[in-house]
Amino acid sequence: VHIVEEESTSGGLLLAAPSNEEDRGRPCTGTVVKVGPGKMVADGSLLDMNVEVGDKVKFRDFAGNEVTIEEEEYSVVSMTDILAKF
């Protein structure tokens, strides 16, 4: 997920801001740039991903791992940590 610093959607929906100053630096929205094959469940089958490249998503606060690739910041986020797409 490519980190996006947005506070509202194009439709005007306002996104909640972090409640304290320390949390404000941690992103919780972004644009999907790469999608894996899905999540493996106990029986060995894969659950399909419910997001596609280009989707804008809201994920849990402090979810994922932040990485920098070629001076761009990204968060690697598990499918289960994505709360909504818009």
Side-chain angles (χ1 to χ4, degrees), residues 38-48:
K39 180 179 179 173
M40 186 172 292
V41 292
D43 67 3
S45 63
L46 286 176
L47 289 178
D48 291 334

Side-chain angles (χ1 to χ4, degrees), residues 11-78:
L13 178 68
L14 295 177
L15 302 174
S19 59
N20 62 44
E21 195 64 37
E22 184 176 297
D23 294 344
R24 291 188 197 280
R26 181 79 172 161
C28 58
T29 61
T31 302
V32 177
V33 294
K34 188 77 173 172
V35 177
K39 180 179 179 173
M40 186 172 292
V41 292
D43 67 3
S45 63
L46 286 176
L47 289 178
D48 291 334
M49 296 295 287
N50 55 6
V51 295
E52 299 174 359
V53 172
D55 287 345
K56 291 187 179 187
V57 294
K58 161 77 172 115
F59 46 91
R60 295 183 190 279
D61 295 340
F62 301 101
N65 296 309
E66 292 185 358
V67 295
T68 302
I69 302 172
E70 297 179 3
E71 299 184 26
E72 289 284 334
E73 288 188 38
Y74 299 89
S75 287
V76 179
V77 179
S78 172

